[in-house]
Amino acid sequence: MALDQSFVGRSYPPTDPYEVGREKIREFAEAVGDANPVYTDTEAAKALGHSDVIAPPTFVFAITFKASGQVIEDPQLGLDYSRVVHGDQRFVYTRPVRAGDRLTVTSSIETIKSLAGNDILDIRGEVHDEAGEHVVTAWTKLVARAAEGA
Amino acid sequence: MTAKISYDDVEVGTELPAQSFPVTRATLVRYAGASGDFNPIHWNEKFAVEVGLPDVIAHGMFTMAEAIRVVTDWTGDPGAVVEYGVRFTRPVVVPNDDKGAVIEVAAKVGAKLDDGRVRVDLVATSEGQKVLGMSRAVVQLA
Protein backbone atom coordinates (compact mmCIF):
# COMPACT_ATOMS: atom_id res chain seq x y z
CA MET A 1 0.00 0.00 0.00
CA ALA A 2 1.35 3.43 -0.92
CA LEU A 3 2.72 5.51 1.92
CA ASP A 4 0.56 8.30 3.26
CA GLN A 5 1.35 11.58 1.48
CA SER A 6 0.37 13.53 4.58
CA PHE A 7 3.78 12.60 6.05
CA VAL A 8 5.55 14.88 3.55
CA GLY A 9 7.08 17.76 5.46
CA ARG A 10 6.93 15.97 8.80
CA SER A 11 9.92 16.79 10.96
CA TYR A 12 11.22 14.71 13.86
CA PRO A 13 12.82 16.03 17.07
CA PRO A 14 16.59 16.66 16.97
CA THR A 15 18.71 13.72 18.12
CA ASP A 16 20.87 13.78 21.23
CA PRO A 17 24.36 15.09 20.35
CA TYR A 18 26.83 12.65 18.78
CA GLU A 19 30.37 13.46 19.85
CA VAL A 20 32.82 12.95 16.99
CA GLY A 21 35.92 11.15 18.30
CA ARG A 22 39.41 11.43 16.90
CA GLU A 23 39.85 7.64 17.05
CA LYS A 24 36.50 7.04 15.34
CA ILE A 25 37.63 9.23 12.44
CA ARG A 26 40.92 7.31 12.29
CA GLU A 27 39.06 3.99 12.30
CA PHE A 28 36.81 5.16 9.45
CA ALA A 29 39.71 6.50 7.36
CA GLU A 30 41.58 3.21 7.82
CA ALA A 31 38.47 1.21 6.90
CA VAL A 32 38.26 2.99 3.55
CA GLY A 33 42.04 2.78 3.11
CA ASP A 34 42.52 6.54 3.04
CA ALA A 35 45.94 7.64 4.34
CA ASN A 36 45.37 11.40 3.98
CA PRO A 37 47.03 12.80 7.16
CA VAL A 38 44.30 15.44 7.57
CA TYR A 39 42.19 12.64 9.09
CA THR A 40 44.74 11.58 11.70
CA ASP A 41 47.37 14.27 12.24
CA THR A 42 46.28 17.51 13.94
CA GLU A 43 49.28 19.42 12.60
CA ALA A 44 48.53 18.30 9.02
CA ALA A 45 44.91 19.42 9.52
CA LYS A 46 46.01 22.80 10.89
CA ALA A 47 48.37 23.28 7.95
CA LEU A 48 45.26 23.18 5.74
CA GLY A 49 43.43 25.71 7.93
CA HIS A 50 41.33 23.31 10.01
CA SER A 51 41.18 23.63 13.79
CA ASP A 52 41.49 19.85 14.30
CA VAL A 53 41.47 16.61 12.32
CA ILE A 54 38.51 16.40 9.96
CA ALA A 55 36.41 13.41 8.93
CA PRO A 56 36.17 11.97 5.40
CA PRO A 57 33.23 13.40 3.42
CA THR A 58 30.93 10.39 3.85
CA PHE A 59 31.69 9.80 7.56
CA VAL A 60 28.62 11.76 8.68
CA PHE A 61 26.30 9.23 7.04
CA ALA A 62 26.71 6.92 10.03
CA ILE A 63 25.20 9.69 12.17
CA THR A 64 22.46 10.83 9.80
CA PHE A 65 21.39 7.30 8.93
CA LYS A 66 21.04 6.39 12.59
CA ALA A 67 18.95 9.52 13.01
CA SER A 68 16.76 8.59 10.05
CA GLY A 69 15.72 5.54 12.08
CA GLN A 70 13.14 7.86 13.66
CA VAL A 71 11.47 8.03 10.25
CA ILE A 72 12.11 4.45 9.14
CA GLU A 73 10.74 3.01 12.38
CA ASP A 74 7.82 5.42 12.72
CA PRO A 75 4.96 2.94 13.19
CA GLN A 76 2.48 5.46 11.80
CA LEU A 77 4.42 5.73 8.54
CA GLY A 78 4.51 1.94 8.19
CA LEU A 79 7.56 1.53 5.94
CA ASP A 80 8.48 -2.12 5.31
CA TYR A 81 12.21 -1.86 5.94
CA SER A 82 12.90 -5.43 4.83
CA ARG A 83 12.11 -4.23 1.29
CA VAL A 84 14.17 -1.06 1.44
CA VAL A 85 17.25 -0.34 -0.66
CA HIS A 86 19.40 2.78 -0.62
CA GLY A 87 18.71 4.64 -3.86
CA ASP A 88 20.61 7.93 -3.75
CA GLN A 89 22.75 9.79 -1.26
CA ARG A 90 23.75 13.43 -1.34
CA PHE A 91 25.57 15.75 1.04
CA VAL A 92 25.89 19.53 1.02
CA TYR A 93 28.55 20.75 3.42
CA THR A 94 28.94 24.13 5.11
CA ARG A 95 32.16 22.83 6.63
CA PRO A 96 33.78 19.43 7.20
CA VAL A 97 32.93 17.40 10.31
CA ARG A 98 35.84 17.52 12.77
CA ALA A 99 37.01 15.85 15.95
CA GLY A 100 35.26 17.21 19.01
CA ASP A 101 32.09 18.20 17.18
CA ARG A 102 28.90 17.48 19.07
CA LEU A 103 26.38 17.00 16.28
CA THR A 104 22.62 16.85 16.36
CA VAL A 105 20.49 15.71 13.43
CA THR A 106 17.01 16.94 12.61
CA SER A 107 15.33 14.54 10.18
CA SER A 108 12.36 15.32 8.02
CA ILE A 109 10.47 13.68 5.18
CA GLU A 110 11.00 15.74 2.06
CA THR A 111 9.08 13.73 -0.52
CA ILE A 112 7.10 10.53 -0.85
CA LYS A 113 6.49 9.09 -4.29
CA SER A 114 4.92 5.90 -5.51
CA LEU A 115 6.25 4.47 -8.78
CA ALA A 116 5.17 1.10 -10.15
CA GLY A 117 4.22 -0.02 -6.66
CA ASN A 118 7.56 1.06 -5.17
CA ASP A 119 7.53 3.61 -2.37
CA ILE A 120 10.26 6.22 -2.71
CA LEU A 121 11.09 8.24 0.37
CA ASP A 122 13.45 11.20 0.56
CA ILE A 123 14.73 11.92 4.06
CA ARG A 124 16.56 15.13 4.80
CA GLY A 125 18.93 15.26 7.75
CA GLU A 126 20.10 18.69 8.91
CA VAL A 127 23.28 18.43 10.96
CA HIS A 128 24.19 21.21 13.38
CA ASP A 129 27.03 21.64 15.85
CA GLU A 130 26.80 22.58 19.51
CA ALA A 131 26.80 26.29 18.68
CA GLY A 132 23.78 25.71 16.44
CA GLU A 133 25.78 26.31 13.26
CA HIS A 134 24.95 24.26 10.18
CA VAL A 135 27.58 21.65 9.27
CA VAL A 136 26.06 19.47 6.57
CA THR A 137 22.73 18.43 5.10
CA ALA A 138 22.30 14.80 4.05
CA TRP A 139 19.60 13.65 1.61
CA THR A 140 18.91 9.92 1.71
CA LYS A 141 16.61 8.33 -0.86
CA LEU A 142 15.14 5.01 0.22
CA VAL A 143 13.23 2.77 -2.17
CA ALA A 144 10.83 0.22 -0.68
CA ARG A 145 10.25 -2.34 -3.40
CA ALA A 146 6.67 -3.43 -4.01
CA ALA A 147 5.60 -6.55 -2.13
CA GLU A 148 4.87 -9.59 -4.32
CA GLY A 149 1.21 -9.81 -5.19
CA ALA A 150 0.57 -6.27 -3.95
CA MET B 1 40.70 25.30 3.50
CA THR B 2 43.37 25.14 0.89
CA ALA B 3 43.01 23.01 -2.20
CA LYS B 4 46.25 22.29 -4.05
CA ILE B 5 44.59 22.82 -7.42
CA SER B 6 43.87 26.28 -8.79
CA TYR B 7 40.58 27.13 -10.48
CA ASP B 8 42.49 28.85 -13.28
CA ASP B 9 44.48 25.69 -14.02
CA VAL B 10 41.48 23.51 -14.88
CA GLU B 11 39.13 23.44 -17.85
CA VAL B 12 35.91 21.59 -18.51
CA GLY B 13 37.11 18.10 -19.40
CA THR B 14 40.25 18.20 -17.25
CA GLU B 15 40.75 14.62 -16.05
CA LEU B 16 41.62 13.79 -12.46
CA PRO B 17 44.06 10.91 -11.90
CA ALA B 18 41.98 7.71 -12.02
CA GLN B 19 42.33 5.17 -9.22
CA SER B 20 41.26 1.61 -8.51
CA PHE B 21 40.25 0.40 -5.06
CA PRO B 22 40.33 -3.28 -4.06
CA VAL B 23 37.57 -4.60 -1.80
CA THR B 24 37.57 -7.97 -0.05
CA ARG B 25 35.33 -9.56 2.58
CA ALA B 26 37.82 -8.36 5.19
CA THR B 27 37.44 -4.80 3.88
CA LEU B 28 33.68 -5.04 4.31
CA VAL B 29 33.86 -6.39 7.85
CA ARG B 30 36.16 -3.54 8.75
CA TYR B 31 33.88 -0.98 7.09
CA ALA B 32 30.86 -2.46 8.88
CA GLY B 33 32.57 -1.85 12.21
CA ALA B 34 33.73 1.65 11.36
CA SER B 35 30.37 2.77 9.93
CA GLY B 36 28.03 0.86 12.24
CA ASP B 37 26.20 -0.72 9.28
CA PHE B 38 26.05 -4.42 10.15
CA ASN B 39 23.47 -5.44 7.53
CA PRO B 40 24.32 -9.13 6.88
CA ILE B 41 24.09 -8.68 3.08
CA HIS B 42 27.59 -7.17 3.43
CA TRP B 43 29.24 -10.13 5.16
CA ASN B 44 26.96 -13.19 5.25
CA GLU B 45 26.80 -15.07 1.95
CA LYS B 46 23.95 -17.34 3.04
CA PHE B 47 21.81 -14.37 4.03
CA ALA B 48 22.69 -12.42 0.85
CA VAL B 49 21.64 -15.32 -1.39
CA GLU B 50 18.43 -15.86 0.59
CA VAL B 51 17.34 -12.27 -0.14
CA GLY B 52 18.04 -12.70 -3.85
CA LEU B 53 21.53 -11.28 -4.24
CA PRO B 54 24.21 -13.14 -6.25
CA ASP B 55 26.66 -13.01 -3.32
CA VAL B 56 27.82 -10.65 -0.58
CA ILE B 57 27.78 -7.04 -1.84
CA ALA B 58 29.79 -4.00 -0.76
CA HIS B 59 28.06 -1.27 1.23
CA GLY B 60 26.92 1.43 -1.20
CA MET B 61 28.36 3.94 1.23
CA PHE B 62 31.72 2.15 1.04
CA THR B 63 31.74 2.59 -2.74
CA MET B 64 30.71 6.22 -2.31
CA ALA B 65 33.57 6.73 0.20
CA GLU B 66 36.12 5.23 -2.21
CA ALA B 67 34.92 7.20 -5.24
CA ILE B 68 35.39 10.60 -3.59
CA ARG B 69 39.03 9.74 -2.82
CA VAL B 70 39.83 10.52 -6.46
CA VAL B 71 38.63 14.04 -5.72
CA THR B 72 40.10 14.47 -2.22
CA ASP B 73 43.51 13.14 -3.33
CA TRP B 74 43.40 15.67 -6.19
CA THR B 75 42.44 18.68 -4.09
CA GLY B 76 44.71 17.64 -1.20
CA ASP B 77 42.21 19.05 1.27
CA PRO B 78 39.04 16.94 1.65
CA GLY B 79 37.46 20.02 3.23
CA ALA B 80 37.33 21.48 -0.28
CA VAL B 81 34.38 19.17 -1.07
CA VAL B 82 31.25 21.28 -0.64
CA GLU B 83 28.74 18.93 -2.22
CA TYR B 84 28.74 15.22 -3.12
CA GLY B 85 25.97 12.98 -4.38
CA VAL B 86 25.57 9.58 -6.01
CA ARG B 87 22.90 7.17 -7.20
CA PHE B 88 23.42 3.51 -6.33
CA THR B 89 22.75 1.82 -9.66
CA ARG B 90 24.29 -1.62 -9.23
CA PRO B 91 25.86 -3.47 -6.30
CA VAL B 92 29.57 -4.33 -6.14
CA VAL B 93 29.62 -8.12 -5.73
CA VAL B 94 32.47 -9.27 -3.50
CA PRO B 95 33.32 -12.97 -3.92
CA ASN B 96 34.93 -14.92 -1.08
CA ASP B 97 38.24 -15.57 -2.82
CA ASP B 98 41.74 -14.14 -2.57
CA LYS B 99 40.98 -11.30 -4.97
CA GLY B 100 37.58 -9.91 -4.00
CA ALA B 101 36.42 -7.07 -6.26
CA VAL B 102 37.90 -3.87 -7.64
CA ILE B 103 36.16 -0.50 -7.88
CA GLU B 104 37.57 1.64 -10.72
CA VAL B 105 36.98 5.38 -10.47
CA ALA B 106 37.54 8.00 -13.18
CA ALA B 107 36.64 11.66 -12.87
CA LYS B 108 36.77 14.87 -14.86
CA VAL B 109 35.78 18.47 -14.47
CA GLY B 110 32.21 18.70 -15.76
CA ALA B 111 31.60 22.41 -15.28
CA LYS B 112 33.26 25.55 -13.96
CA LEU B 113 30.98 27.31 -11.49
CA ASP B 114 31.05 30.67 -9.70
CA ASP B 115 33.34 31.58 -6.80
CA GLY B 116 36.20 29.24 -7.74
CA ARG B 117 34.06 26.14 -7.60
CA VAL B 118 34.00 23.32 -10.13
CA ARG B 119 31.72 20.34 -10.62
CA VAL B 120 33.54 17.04 -10.91
CA ASP B 121 31.73 14.16 -12.64
CA LEU B 122 32.70 10.70 -11.40
CA VAL B 123 32.38 7.31 -13.05
CA ALA B 124 32.69 4.26 -10.78
CA THR B 125 32.69 0.79 -12.30
CA SER B 126 33.29 -2.78 -11.16
CA GLU B 127 33.67 -5.72 -13.56
CA GLY B 128 33.07 -3.23 -16.36
CA GLN B 129 29.62 -2.27 -15.06
CA LYS B 130 28.74 1.17 -13.78
CA VAL B 131 28.03 0.96 -10.03
CA LEU B 132 27.31 4.63 -9.30
CA GLY B 133 25.15 6.90 -11.45
CA MET B 134 24.77 10.69 -11.38
CA SER B 135 27.92 10.78 -9.30
CA ARG B 136 28.99 14.38 -8.84
CA ALA B 137 30.97 16.51 -6.45
CA VAL B 138 31.34 20.27 -6.18
CA VAL B 139 34.75 21.38 -4.94
CA GLN B 140 36.15 24.73 -3.89
CA LEU B 141 39.48 25.26 -5.65
CA ALA B 142 42.23 27.69 -4.78
Side-chain angles (χ1 to χ4, degrees):
Chain A
M1 200 173 74
L3 295 176
D4 185 347
Q5 283 288 333
S6 72
F7 278 76
V8 173
R10 179 173 294 210
S11 193
Y12 293 78
T15 57
D16 289 336
Y18 174 102
E19 186 164 329
V20 178
R22 194 180 304 278
E23 293 304 330
K24 191 67 193 175
I25 292 175
R26 179 194 300 275
E27 181 190 8
F28 187 92
E30 286 178 352
V32 297
D34 195 332
N36 193 322
V38 73
Y39 302 136
T40 52
D41 178 347
T42 310
E43 292 311 312
K46 285 183 175 167
L48 291 174
H50 303 293
S51 61
D52 205 327
V53 295
I54 64 169
T58 63
F59 174 90
V60 75
F61 180 76
I63 306 168
T64 57
F65 189 65
K66 190 160 179 257
S68 70
Q70 288 173 298
V71 183
I72 292 164
E73 290 157 19
D74 182 342
Q76 290 180 294
L77 178 64
L79 186 69
D80 180 359
Y81 192 65
S82 71
R83 300 192 166 277
V84 166
V85 295
H86 195 179
D88 288 31
Q89 183 61 43
R90 190 160 74 91
F91 302 101
V92 174
Y93 312 86
T94 295
R95 67 161 174 86
V97 168
R98 57 180 172 248
D101 273 338
R102 287 170 56 81
L103 303 176
T104 57
V105 186
T106 305
S107 299
S108 59
I109 298 177
E110 201 158 78
T111 55
I112 294 174
K113 285 181 196 154
S114 188
L115 270 178
N118 299 325
D119 284 317
I120 303 166
L121 185 67
D122 288 301
I123 301 171
R124 176 187 180 125
E126 296 282 1
V127 181
H128 292 89
D129 65 17
E130 207 167 19
E133 300 293 328
H134 179 261
V135 178
V136 52
T137 301
W139 282 268
T140 302
K141 186 186 291 292
L142 299 177
V143 180
R145 291 165 296 149
E148 283 92 17
Chain B
M1 284 171 270
T2 29
K4 287 188 303 195
I5 306 291
S6 160
Y7 180 80
D8 294 331
D9 289 344
V10 303
E11 298 299 333
V12 171
T14 296
E15 292 186 13
L16 283 60
Q19 294 191 54
S20 56
F21 303 100
V23 45
T24 65
R25 296 288 179 86
T27 318
L28 296 182
V29 168
R30 195 167 188 172
Y31 182 80
S35 69
D37 181 348
F38 294 101
N39 188 329
I41 60 174
H42 304 306
W43 50 270
N44 183 332
E45 194 169 312
K46 176 173 171 285
F47 185 91
V49 169
E50 276 172 8
V51 298
L53 293 166
D55 202 335
V56 161
I57 61 168
H59 302 72
M61 289 307 300
F62 174 82
T63 305
M64 187 177 184
E66 295 302 333
I68 197 65
R69 287 178 55 195
V70 167
V71 178
T72 57
D73 285 355
W74 180 65
T75 59
D77 183 1
V81 176
V82 294
E83 192 172 331
Y84 178 35
V86 306
R87 177 166 298 166
F88 302 107
T89 51
R90 186 184 287 267
V92 175
V93 177
V94 182
N96 186 24
D97 57 20
D98 294 336
K99 293 189 305 187
V102 176
I103 299 165
E104 313 264 4
V105 182
K108 65 181 181 194
V109 174
K112 293 188 82 172
L113 311 173
D114 295 341
D115 301 326
R117 296 176 173 203
V118 299
R119 193 191 78 219
V120 174
D121 297 338
L122 296 145
V123 177
T125 57
S126 186
E127 294 279 306
Q129 305 266 15
K130 191 188 273 196
V131 294
L132 298 178
M134 293 296 289
S135 180
R136 291 172 166 185
V138 175
V139 290
Q140 178 75 55
L141 297 183

